[in-house]
Amino acid sequence: MRTTQSHKTVHVPGIGDVQLVKRTGAVRLRLSVSPRRGVTVTLPRAVPYAVAESFLLSRLQWVRNALLKQASVRQQALRNGRTAPVPEDPAELGRMRKAARAALVPRLREAAARYGFPFKGRVAIKNNISNWGSCSSKGNINLNIRLILLPEHLQDYIILHELCHLRHPDHGPGFHALLDSMLHGREQALRKELKSWHIL
């Protein structure tokens, strides 16, 4: 068991190491299970670690189910060949990031001009496992480096998805209507196809 000012690691039999992380701004306990980061409990700084440990123990079955589901999804994706991993070597990762920026940024800006989005924000190429892309409240767009591993029609789907957030920050009816019109009625089919790909 290792403890720092804002972090503690506890070992749970059958699950492994669990990170207890105190964060400024956290208002409640939050439990998450990530393929890369593992099991994490986030808690406000004023909350004792013992409270987080009790919370974790009360949710162990949920954690086990989440881990089993993630393992199943990963194995299915590996069998289907629909995985999007990135290299661990920093030099190779740098080359992949450069290739992603060269391929994706011009296409995003071209799509913005073609569909009339007044995009003047920043485009960043991110290496994360939580999403394929995102659009900030300031109009900056993040694209996952793994997009270049997807078929081009799915790359275009994600690019248009993020551009639509410039007009509709949420996923309400207006957002889906706009995106579906740009995709000629194929939004649901493309969304379903994208779900068959697994970020590694």
Side-chain angles (χ1 to χ4, degrees), residues 13-197:
I15 291 177
D17 286 347
V18 177
Q19 310 304 318
L20 309 181
V21 181
K22 291 191 175 186
R23 289 221 174 115
T24 302
V27 296
R28 60 183 176 84
L29 292 168
R30 188 173 73 88
L31 177 61
S32 62
V33 180
S34 164
R36 179 181 292 179
R37 292 183 294 273
V39 182
T40 303
V41 179
T42 303
L43 60 153
R45 287 191 176 275
V47 174
Y49 284 117
V51 174
E53 292 185 49
S54 296
F55 174 69
L56 170 64
L57 292 175
S58 72
R59 302 295 305 278
L60 283 184
Q61 191 56 52
W62 181 88
V63 172
R64 293 189 185 99
N65 291 341
L67 290 170
L68 287 172
K69 182 178 180 180
Q70 289 182 2
S72 176
V73 169
R74 178 185 174 90
Q75 289 303 315
Q76 183 65 39
L78 289 169
R79 284 193 295 269
N80 293 339
R82 294 191 167 194
T83 59
V86 294
E88 296 183 3
D89 179 75
E92 291 182 14
L93 181 62
R95 286 191 288 270
M96 184 175 176
R97 189 186 300 276
K98 184 177 180 180
R101 174 168 292 280
L104 299 172
V105 174
R107 285 169 57 197
L108 184 145
R109 296 196 180 280
E110 189 275 332
R114 183 168 72 248
Y115 290 100
F117 290 98
F119 178 65
K120 297 180 181 179
R122 176 181 57 85
V123 184
I125 304 299
K126 297 288 188 177
N127 177 18
N128 63 62
I129 61 171
S130 59
N131 56 51
W132 293 102
S134 62
C135 180
S136 74
S137 59
K138 295 181 179 180
N140 296 320
I141 290 179
N142 298 322
L143 297 176
N144 195 310
I145 189 174
R146 296 164 179 79
L147 284 184
I148 61 169
L149 303 176
L150 299 184
E152 285 195 1
H153 67 281
L154 289 181
Q155 296 176 19
D156 291 336
Y157 162 66
I158 294 164
I159 286 172
L160 292 178
H161 181 112
E162 300 311 329
L163 286 172
C164 284
H165 279 312
L166 295 172
R167 295 180 186 168
H168 300 278
D170 56 18
H171 288 103
F175 168 85
H176 288 294
L178 175 61
L179 181 56
D180 196 47
S181 68
M182 295 166 62
L183 295 168
H184 307 290
R186 297 183 299 123
E187 186 210 354
Q188 289 189 6
L190 290 170
R191 191 192 324 159
K192 182 178 180 180
E193 182 180 352
L194 182 63
K195 286 182 178 179
S196 69
W197 285 83

